[in-house]
Amino acid sequence: MKVDCAIIGGGIVGLSVALQLGRRQPGVRIVVLEKETQLASHQTGRNSGVIHSGIYYPPGSLKARFAREGNRSMIAFCQEHEIAHDVCGKIIVATRESELPLLHELHRRGVENQLTVTELSAEEVREIEPHVACLRGLSVPSTAIVSYREVCVRFADLIAEQGGCIQTEAEVRELRHNDSSHTLETARGTVEAKFLVNCGGLQSDRLALGAGLPLEARITPFRGEYYELVPERRHLVNSLVYPVPDPSFPFLGVHFTRMIDGSVHAGPNAVLALKREGYAKTDIDLRDVWDTLSYRGFWNLARKHYKEGFAEAYRSLNKRAFVKSLQQLIPEVSEKDIVPAPAGVRAQALLPSGALVNDFLLVHGPQSIHVCNAPSPAATASLEIGKEIAEKIPQLRTSTSVHFASNVERRTSNVER
Ligand SMILES: Cc1cc2nc3c(=O)[nH]c(=O)nc-3n(C[C@H](O)[C@H](O)[C@H](O)COP(=O)(O)OP(=O)(O)OC[C@H]3O[C@@H](n4cnc5c(N)ncnc54)[C@H](O)[C@@H]3O)c2cc1C
């Protein structure tokens, strides 16, 4: 197959790039190559389903800008395409005196990020979330919920309507590049592309290295485990209740999330995963373990944060410890109120210094762009990330194009509904 642009990865970022590129350069021949049988099988289909506001991120960062704009564009997309969503807002609560300065700082940051945010007294929080116990709270009304799988179904439909091609079961196994094109050896044959976009999520560093990029950062997988409230206790949470996050970590702390299907999830934690795309505690992949342990950045991270790492591992194995964290937000929650729910694994880039890459990381290579760090809130920001990448791709067709419809494989059935 010969195409103008090959996009590796059928998660929400790869699909958004295909959608936005097709809008910007109509008629351009695009193929999305996804290794699984279903689109959105990894991070995108295993997340909390929150359309974040952008409150947490340093002003001026890509995360702050793309989350704020992505919140609006994702909600507008859901409205236009009649995708179930709910702009239910969220509350961040300080439960200890020591968290109050951090809560005020978050308020300040929210204002700087041009968001509407309001500090609330404990009584005002209880009017919204009667079961929450806290000292003060912060209301963020623009936060919303959705199923990102549903969003991907619509993205895939629109890509097909634009003449794009989506291939599943098309693992990219080898990448070669000469002056004018990329050659991708996939499980379904050879693809030649003028331009390459790597949106490989948990495999993005390997794909970038395979394409010859001198990438220093490596993906370190952090599993996020969830419980969910049993149906009789769902009334304990109306919308979304978050703790004040630890500023030294990019994770938000275990929280309560009402999902668009009405269930209420508690979590996710952040435990080092022994398999990049493994979702059970016992999943181990020797290559993944070796890649983590042989990377200097991991040991530098471990030296600084081994105590937090062990605490997370303990909480992962001990339901009582997990419940104790949840009780800091809602004291009434007990062990019998929660049951395990499917986990996700975050693709978090780590530098050799041991610093976690905080912002989105888009790396340019020869006729290629590699998305080397797109953890949360990249699902929220996906339309903006896709737009940004599409704007950076040079004009790929000079004359009026031949429509690509003959190669279109409509793939909506490949996203689990
Ligand atoms: C537990 C958890 C909770 C989260 N909660 C939220 C949230 O509430 N809101 C939010 O905005 N974000 C959230 N996120 C983050 C969000 O899910 C991700 O940022 C986003 O889904 C990243 O999308 P992606 O397309 O880059 O990656 P993925 O969805 O992981 O997609 C990458 C795709 O590439 C494919 N691939 C990899 N290698 C190859 C290859 N060699 N050949 C072909 N295909 C390949 C994979 O199979 C995969 O389908 C959460 C993430 C996790 C893990």
Side-chain angles (χ1 to χ4, degrees):
M1 180 191 277
K2 284 195 175 190
V3 297
D4 298 308
C5 184
I7 298 165
I8 308 176
I12 199 162
V13 174
L15 293 171
S16 169
V17 172
L19 179 65
Q20 300 284 31
L21 179 60
R23 283 177 177 170
R24 198 174 159 80
Q25 296 194 35
V28 83
R29 296 169 307 171
I30 299 169
V31 66
V32 177
L33 300 163
E34 166 54 50
K35 68 180 164 66
E36 307 294 348
T37 48
Q38 307 276 338
L39 298 174
S41 289
H42 294 296
Q43 295 177 91
T44 301
R46 296 174 159 273
N47 63 28
S48 301
V50 177
I51 306 179
H52 286 293
S53 64
I55 187 171
Y56 298 108
Y57 315 112
S61 63
L62 287 179
K63 276 192 180 178
R65 178 158 67 91
F66 288 172
R68 183 183 64 241
E69 290 166 13
N71 172 282
R72 290 178 198 149
S73 52
M74 186 56 72
I75 290 171
F77 183 88
C78 292
Q79 282 164 350
E80 184 186 345
H81 295 282
E82 297 179 356
I83 296 169
H85 66 289
D86 183 5
V87 188
C88 54
K90 86 171 185 184
I91 294 184
I92 304 169
V93 295
T95 55
R96 297 178 209 147
E97 289 286 340
S98 61
E99 291 173 348
L100 289 173
L102 293 169
L103 192 78
H104 299 319
E105 171 55 21
L106 268 184
H107 185 185
R108 195 197 58 73
R109 188 171 272 195
V111 172
E112 213 177 326
N113 282 338
Q114 300 161 37
L115 303 175
T116 305
V117 280
T118 316
E119 274 206 39
L120 305 173
S121 66
E123 293 70 39
E124 286 169 324
V125 169
R126 266 197 297 278
E127 278 168 28
I128 302 167
E129 292 287 353
H131 301 276
V132 169
C134 68
L135 300 175
R136 275 190 90 69
L138 195 59
S139 157
V140 192
S142 57
T143 304
I145 53 173
V146 72
S147 158
Y148 285 112
R149 277 182 189 270
E150 286 302 316
V151 173
C152 286
V153 170
R154 195 68 197 122
F155 279 6
D157 280 347
L158 293 171
I159 292 164
E161 279 167 24
Q162 286 175 180
C165 175
I166 298 176
Q167 288 196 340
T168 51
E169 297 174 51
E171 180 177 9
V172 176
R173 294 174 174 162
E174 199 189 322
L175 290 161
R176 291 189 302 278
H177 177 241
N178 63 28
D179 289 346
S180 60
S181 68
H182 295 269
T183 304
L184 292 79
E185 297 300 342
T186 85
R188 293 179 62 173
T190 305
V191 176
E192 260 187 51
K194 291 183 197 159
F195 203 91
L196 171 73
V197 186
N198 161 14
C199 304
L202 285 148
Q203 309 294 341
S204 56
D205 57 341
R206 290 174 176 159
L207 287 160
L209 292 167
L213 216 71
L215 184 72
E216 286 222 301
R218 292 289 182 278
I219 291 297
T220 304
F222 286 96
R223 198 173 53 253
E225 296 161 331
Y226 294 93
Y227 285 91
E228 66 175 305
L229 289 180
V230 293
E232 315 82 87
R233 300 292 273 170
R234 286 179 184 166
H235 66 275
L236 293 178
V237 178
N238 286 328
S239 57
L240 312 177
V241 182
Y242 285 64
V244 174
D246 177 342
S248 56
F249 283 105
F251 311 123
L252 302 180
V254 293
H255 49 267
F256 290 96
T257 312
R258 181 165 288 279
M259 309 295 279
I260 199 66
D261 65 3
S263 62
V264 176
H265 279 199
N269 58 6
V271 196
L272 183 73
L274 301 178
K275 184 172 179 185
R276 290 191 181 197
E277 292 166 352
Y279 299 101
K281 291 187 208 305
T282 48
D283 279 347
I284 297 182
D285 180 284
L286 291 181
R287 180 186 175 202
D288 292 348
V289 174
W290 172 252
D291 278 0
T292 299
L293 296 184
S294 60
Y295 180 50
R296 152 165 73 97
F298 168 74
W299 292 105
N300 286 331
L301 174 78
R303 240 189 306 280
K304 278 184 246 167
H305 292 299
Y306 69 93
K307 280 191 193 146
E308 291 90 339
F310 281 123
E312 279 295 275
Y314 176 72
R315 189 169 62 172
S316 159
L317 296 170
N318 186 313
K319 188 177 180 186
R320 193 176 304 167
F322 202 102
V323 170
K324 221 170 146 192
S325 303
L326 298 175
Q327 284 171 336
Q328 282 171 19
L329 303 172
I330 299 185
E332 288 168 63
V333 171
S334 68
E335 277 185 62
K336 62 180 180 357
D337 293 338
I338 57 169
V339 291
V345 178
R346 306 171 182 86
Q348 174 60 54
L350 179 65
L351 294 170
S353 65
L356 299 171
V357 178
N358 270 325
D359 211 353
F360 296 140
L361 180 62
L362 310 180
V363 183
H364 291 249
Q367 291 144 298
S368 60
I369 297 178
H370 301 258
V371 180
C372 294
N373 193 50
S376 187
T380 301
S382 52
L383 283 163
E384 304 306 313
I385 298 174
K387 196 156 79 181
E388 172 83 8
I389 292 175
E391 281 168 6
K392 296 280 174 344
I393 298 177
Q395 201 64 34
L396 292 172
R397 283 180 89 69
T398 41
S399 56
T400 319
S401 67
V402 180
H403 205 257
F404 199 39
S406 57
N407 279 329
V408 169
E409 297 178 26
R410 290 183 63 89
R411 282 291 165 187
T412 51
S413 58
N414 278 330
V415 187
E416 259 176 24
R417 288 183 188 258

